[in-house]
Amino acid sequence: GNSVTQMEGPVTLSEEAFLTINCTYTATGYPSLFWYVQYPGEGLQLLLKATKADDKGSNKGFEATYRKETTSFHLEKGSVQVSDSAVYFCALSDQGRDDKIIFGKGTRLHILP
Amino acid sequence: DTEVTQTPKHLVMGMTNKKSLKCEQHMGHRAMYWYKQKAKKPPELMFVYSYEKLSINESVPSRFSPECPNSSLLNLHLHALQPEDSALYLCASSSRSLLGYEQYFGPGTRLTVT
């Protein structure tokens, strides 16, 4: 079945460091791919998305490119801030009848000032 | 506006109580979802409503009873819960387009069962 694998955390970086959170997927067909972010004590927020191969999603300085050849959707940011500390979930849409979203396990990010 | 609202924000209930969680969206989305999230875990899908009809029940115990009174509202009725049901309950909504779709989540209700 469809699945998402993302790097284990926690990831700890200093402010202004470069961030990469790896995400790979297994899917039949052509799923849409997402990154969601969950700040402490809050619900999930859609951070960015890509709907087809080679699409680049971007938002708030974060970027991810839909790579079909490597089945990857890695999240990157050039210079992280303390306010980016959160849990990041990679996800794909299971575009069958069910309209399900399949989440990775999440990666906790800590940014040190 | 991409807002999904949920009430209450926090809820503490005993195992014999009956309570309800409420969710509302005004984005015209025709699919709405209930998820359960335990600490340090991703959300787990519980129920999906599509065009106000229950389309998915992920084998959720009957002590959880969903209801969709109209296209903007989604309720989750709780009865005789167990302590292990303590979690963050998230509501979401989505709409399809030719470019795919995404789900928009509410802030959640933090439920504690004593």
Side-chain angles (χ1 to χ4, degrees):
Chain A
N2 294 353
S3 66
V4 175
T5 302
Q6 60 182 107
M7 62 190 292
E8 297 285 334
V11 173
T12 302
L13 296 172
S14 297
E15 203 166 24
E16 299 183 3
F18 184 87
L19 168 70
T20 300
I21 300 178
N22 291 334
C23 172
T24 57
Y25 67 91
T26 302
T28 55
Y30 303 93
S32 294
L33 301 175
F34 310 95
W35 278 100
Y36 282 87
V37 58
Q38 187 172 32
Y39 298 101
E42 298 185 10
L44 275 70
Q45 298 178 24
L46 178 65
L47 181 60
L48 53 83
K49 69 174 183 179
T51 57
K52 61 184 187 296
D54 300 326
D55 265 3
K56 178 185 283 188
S58 61
N59 186 25
K60 299 181 181 180
F62 291 90
E63 294 183 340
T65 301
Y66 191 143
R67 301 286 188 198
K68 194 163 178 63
E69 64 276 13
T70 54
T71 62
S72 65
F73 193 54
H74 304 320
L75 183 68
E76 296 182 336
K77 187 176 185 182
S79 176
V80 293
Q81 306 300 312
V82 171
S83 57
D84 294 325
S85 298
V87 180
Y88 292 81
F89 292 97
C90 184
L92 64 81
S93 64
D94 199 347
Q95 286 184 320
R97 178 182 64 87
D98 300 332
D99 284 355
K100 289 183 180 180
I101 281 188
I102 295 173
F103 290 95
K105 292 185 176 181
T107 301
R108 186 171 298 274
L109 176 65
H110 295 289
I111 305 300
L112 303 175
Chain B
D1 181 12
T2 57
E3 187 178 29
V4 176
T5 59
Q6 291 186 243
T7 56
K9 191 172 178 62
H10 300 277
L11 179 62
V12 179
M13 61 185 291
M15 289 188 285
T16 58
N17 291 158
K18 288 185 180 181
K19 296 287 185 182
S20 297
L21 309 184
K22 296 185 184 301
C23 173
E24 189 167 5
Q25 58 89 12
H26 294 288
M27 295 178 279
H29 291 171
R30 302 315 297 266
M32 296 185 75
Y33 310 77
W34 279 116
Y35 288 86
K36 174 183 179 179
Q37 187 181 25
K38 302 285 274 186
K40 299 186 179 182
K41 299 289 186 183
E44 298 174 26
L45 184 65
M46 301 174 71
F47 302 103
V48 180
Y49 273 83
S50 180
Y51 291 88
E52 300 161 49
K53 295 188 187 303
L54 184 64
S55 60
I56 296 176
N57 176 339
E58 291 284 24
S59 302
V60 178
S62 59
R63 57 186 184 268
F64 295 91
S65 175
E67 178 195 21
C68 188
N70 60 55
S71 60
S72 300
L73 294 174
L74 186 66
N75 299 322
L76 185 63
H77 302 298
L78 314 173
H79 173 56
L81 294 193
Q82 303 299 309
E84 59 264 29
D85 296 322
S86 299
L88 180 68
Y89 288 83
L90 294 164
C91 175
S93 68
S94 75
S95 66
R96 272 193 174 272
S97 73
L98 291 177
L99 299 178
Y101 74 102
E102 58 266 14
Q103 292 184 15
Y104 294 93
F105 285 80
T109 293
R110 178 77 59 188
L111 174 66
T112 302
V113 181
T114 61

